[in-house]
Amino acid sequence: MYHLKPVMTQNDACEVPSCMYTLKPVCSFSFDRAPCKGAAGGTTVDPISAGIDNLLKKAESDELRMLAERQQRVLQQLAELKNELLLMRTELKLNTKATATQPSTPLKSKAELKAEPINRNFLQDFVVNASPDYVPYSLLALKNLWKDRLNLQVECFTHSTVPRLTEEALNFQKAILTTSTTVNNLPQIKVTLIWKNVGAYTEMITSPTSYVPICGEVNILRFLSRCGPSEFNYEQRDNVVEADSILDACYLLLNKQNVKQRQQILRTLGTKLGKSDGFGGADMSLCDIAFTSAVKQVQRTIAKDINPNMAKCIGRVSAVVGL
């Protein structure tokens, strides 16, 4: 392209008006390349850089101090939370963790667990809200399984939102009301079962004034296993982590509405079961009860996916605890 002569050259002189006095630039020292002598006679950095460094150091010091105070408050809150959890473990009769100086002892199997007396102070009456379409078979199983150790006295009522009970709910209600213990003076828990439209989320309420429900049949089983007979507490066995994962899978099997998701969870439970008679081996475990109850509630959608060993486990539980 063609060349264009510059509109303004750098060498053009600019006349400054002389009607006012001249003022030295305020920040002229920042452009002064002449070194300044310090107290020790050496060269120092320029004042702006030094001021910025001082501000940064002060801000960093303040941030570190605030961070240390916040960390101290968090550690204090964690210590208080730990003490509360240890107190809850003591009240719920759970094993406390071994100290760092003592070797941890493995949890006992059911064959080694002793039937300790039930502390009646931990027993509390509660209400269960359940849907007639999702019958909580685990209550009947525990009532029959604990009939020589703990009396679950169940009363049934129907909420106004339920026009009529299903055939499964009627059979369950008849079975749980006719089952009674043969031992006198047993510890007792009164359970009020209310048929209500709550879907698959079975609710347990321990206090009518503070409505804080425990949702899920599996979580109700966890609660009862802690306050019930000690020999049936799954948290005192040697496979507590595996048992918790099985119980979580049973909870998902009930609450997942997608058929494909239920089939995937059922396959996972089938893999965990393997070729064993039950999840607890030869002994009847809480996982077997939770699995049997969950499958019986959703068997209409997953009946074809139940393998023979699962059916055998369900039949064994049904025969032992009367489901």
Side-chain angles (χ1 to χ4, degrees):
M1 298 180 66
Y2 62 90
H3 295 279
L4 179 65
K5 184 180 179 180
V7 178
M8 179 181 292
T9 60
Q10 296 181 354
N11 297 327
D12 291 343
C14 181
E15 296 182 1
V16 180
S18 60
C19 61
M20 297 181 66
Y21 65 92
T22 58
L23 178 65
K24 184 180 179 180
V26 179
C27 57
S28 59
F29 56 83
S30 62
F31 301 99
D32 188 4
R33 300 298 180 182
C36 301
K37 298 296 182 178
T43 303
T44 61
V45 296
D46 105 43
I48 290 184
S49 300
I52 293 176
D53 290 340
N54 292 333
L55 288 176
L56 291 176
K57 289 180 181 178
K58 183 179 179 181
E60 183 179 1
S61 176
D62 293 341
E63 290 180 359
L64 289 177
R65 179 179 56 79
M66 294 174 61
L67 182 62
E69 293 176 356
R70 188 183 305 170
Q71 183 180 9
Q72 189 64 28
R73 289 195 301 268
V74 171
L75 291 176
Q76 184 177 359
Q77 292 175 358
L78 289 176
E80 295 175 356
L81 179 61
K82 180 181 178 182
N83 294 332
E84 292 179 2
L85 291 176
L86 291 176
L87 182 61
M88 292 173 61
R89 291 176 65 89
T90 303
E91 292 178 352
L92 294 175
K93 304 184 299 182
L94 298 179
N95 292 338
T96 55
K97 292 185 178 179
T99 58
T101 57
Q102 297 178 353
S104 59
T105 56
L107 298 174
K108 299 179 181 179
S109 63
K110 184 178 178 182
E112 299 172 344
L113 292 176
K114 296 181 180 179
E116 300 177 357
I118 297 176
N119 192 339
R120 297 174 185 262
N121 295 327
F122 297 138
L123 302 182
Q124 186 175 3
D125 301 339
F126 58 88
V127 177
V128 173
N129 294 326
S131 172
D133 297 325
Y134 296 90
V135 180
Y137 292 101
S138 57
L139 289 179
L140 177 59
L142 291 183
K143 183 177 178 66
N144 291 328
L145 192 63
W146 294 351
K147 60 183 180 181
D148 296 331
R149 297 278 283 127
L150 179 65
N151 182 18
L152 287 178
Q153 185 177 352
V154 181
E155 294 181 348
C156 299
F157 300 92
T158 304
H159 195 263
S160 59
T161 57
V162 178
R164 62 184 182 86
L165 298 180
T166 61
E167 184 178 354
E168 293 83 1
L170 289 174
N171 294 334
F172 169 84
Q173 182 171 294
K174 180 180 178 181
I176 202 168
L177 293 178
T178 54
T179 303
S180 59
T181 181
T182 58
V183 182
N184 297 325
N185 298 326
L186 282 180
Q188 178 178 289
I189 297 180
K190 292 183 179 180
V191 181
T192 303
L193 176 60
I194 301 177
W195 298 111
K196 190 177 181 181
N197 286 330
V198 293
Y201 295 93
T202 304
E203 297 178 344
M204 173 183 174
I205 305 169
T206 57
S207 176
T209 56
S210 57
Y211 188 85
V212 183
I214 298 176
C215 295
E217 182 182 357
V218 171
N219 295 323
I220 297 175
L221 281 175
R222 284 188 169 109
F223 176 86
L224 291 176
S225 71
R226 293 171 181 172
C227 62
S230 58
E231 63 270 25
F232 296 101
N233 189 350
Y234 77 98
E235 291 181 329
Q236 295 186 6
R237 302 192 189 181
D238 50 2
N239 59 345
V240 58
V241 177
E242 182 68 15
D244 269 324
S245 66
I246 294 172
L247 292 175
D248 291 339
C250 294
Y251 177 86
L252 294 176
L253 182 63
L254 270 174
N255 293 279
K256 290 293 183 181
Q257 302 300 324
N258 190 288
V259 178
K260 291 185 178 180
Q261 291 178 335
R262 285 180 175 177
Q263 292 173 348
Q264 179 62 35
I265 296 171
L266 188 65
R267 285 193 291 269
T268 302
L269 289 170
T271 303
K272 292 180 179 294
L273 178 62
K275 296 184 179 180
S276 303
D277 295 337
F279 293 102
D283 299 326
M284 182 67 61
S285 69
L286 199 73
C287 296
D288 298 328
I289 295 175
F291 172 72
T292 302
S293 179
V295 171
K296 287 177 71 68
Q297 294 178 49
V298 297
Q299 62 182 351
R300 293 187 296 271
T301 58
I302 59 173
K304 61 180 181 180
D305 299 302
I306 300 176
N307 61 40
N309 199 45
M310 290 182 185
K312 181 181 178 182
C313 175
I314 295 171
R316 170 173 167 262
V317 174
S318 301
V320 172
V321 298
L323 293 182

